Amino acid sequence: MSTQDTHDHPLFARFWKLAAPGAMSGRDRDTLLGGLQGDIVEVGAGTGVNFAHYPVGVTRVVAVEPEPHLRAEAARHVAAAPVPVEVVDGTAESLPLADASCDGAVLSLVLCSVSDQAAALAELERVVRPDGELRFYEHVVAHRARPAAFQRLLDRSGVWPKLGAGCHVARDTSTALDASGFDVVEQRRFMSGLGPFALPHIAGVARRQSSTMATSATTA
Ligand SMILES: C[S@@+](CC[C@H](N)C(=O)[O-])C[C@H]1O[C@@H](n2cnc3c(N)ncnc32)[C@H](O)[C@@H]1O
């Protein structure tokens, strides 16, 4: 089934073409992707702004993007990549990839927007080989009660998710990662954004648990 019906956000796509370079610095994108090797799936690739930052040890990137205007823009950025990149339609919750077919996965500013974080992380667990890596960079809910309450209000109002094509600012992505089949092995927490628009972020590396595959093979 095409994802176009539920992920067609032309206004957001226009906005993100302008906003993506400022949403995350080039240095942060280099850090996010540095040292990756082998076959990688990038989920929610947006305009393809990460493509130029992949290190040469990467043999192939499958860039999954459900929004058609962003996907077209990402296809235009393939030429800027130092490694082979294929841009495909799909969602985090249903990746068009075989089990254990990737050495690593990349998420930048995506788990705020997926419809089901647990399902998205379970899909990544399925396609990333045991011991493979997940690199992430995400904005998250604040630790302090008042900013967190304001973030929840923004999400509940429906206005923010509508403007941001499904973006939620109050998600506890750190807890979702801890509950997934990945072990977070590196994580930094920091504020990013301008003045009153700064949000808490997490970025780091999680490793796919090697026992998960064995368990599902035993119970299958
Ligand atoms: C804020 S943009 C970030 C784009 C890009 N990763 C970046 O770093 O600039 C969020 C992206 O997630 C995508 N997205 C939203 N829901 C998704 C889903 N269920 N599965 C995969 N991608 C999704 C959007 O289409 C958009 O490209």
Side-chain angles (χ1 to χ4, degrees):
M1 188 185 84
S2 165
T3 57
Q4 184 146 347
D5 294 344
T6 47
H7 289 277
D8 194 0
H9 300 291
L11 279 182
F12 175 76
R14 271 199 197 178
F15 163 73
W16 197 250
K17 280 179 206 173
L18 300 173
M24 207 175 140
S25 71
R27 199 160 69 174
D28 280 341
R29 294 192 190 272
D30 285 339
T31 304
L32 176 72
L33 305 176
L36 278 174
Q37 294 198 327
D39 290 355
I40 304 298
V41 57
E42 179 177 339
V43 179
T47 60
V49 64
N50 280 334
F51 296 170
H53 298 269
Y54 276 96
V56 289
V58 168
T59 43
R60 175 180 181 234
V61 178
V62 176
V64 179
E65 174 50 54
E67 205 292 324
H69 305 86
L70 290 172
R71 194 166 58 249
E73 183 70 9
R76 286 191 274 277
H77 278 82
V78 164
V83 301
V85 178
E86 185 187 354
V87 178
V88 300
D89 190 5
T91 66
E93 296 85 351
S94 179
L95 293 171
L97 290 160
D99 295 1
S101 56
C102 300
D103 299 295
V106 171
L107 291 168
S108 59
L109 304 170
V110 172
L111 286 175
C112 54
S113 298
V114 299
S115 50
D116 184 336
Q117 283 194 329
L121 288 167
E123 258 304 78
L124 284 169
E125 188 187 337
R126 180 183 69 76
V127 304
V128 173
R129 66 165 171 73
D131 286 328
E133 286 184 49
L134 167 62
R135 303 286 182 95
F136 59 91
Y137 184 110
E138 298 287 343
H139 61 74
V140 293
V141 68
H143 279 155
R144 289 188 302 133
R146 285 179 74 157
F150 181 61
Q151 286 175 289
R152 285 192 199 98
L153 189 69
L154 279 176
D155 283 358
R156 272 202 305 267
S157 74
V159 176
W160 187 270
K162 193 160 177 70
L163 289 174
C167 173
H168 294 76
V169 282
R171 287 200 170 162
D172 187 356
T173 301
S174 211
T175 298
L177 283 165
D178 287 343
S180 76
F182 290 89
D183 290 325
V184 175
V185 291
E186 270 177 55
Q187 180 168 255
R188 63 191 175 100
R189 191 177 168 100
F190 53 97
M191 295 297 288
S192 180
L194 283 182
F197 299 107
L199 286 172
H201 282 63
I202 56 169
V205 182
R207 198 165 286 284
R208 187 188 178 289
Q209 291 162 3
S210 50
S211 57
T212 331
M213 190 68 116
T215 310
S216 47
T218 316
T219 52

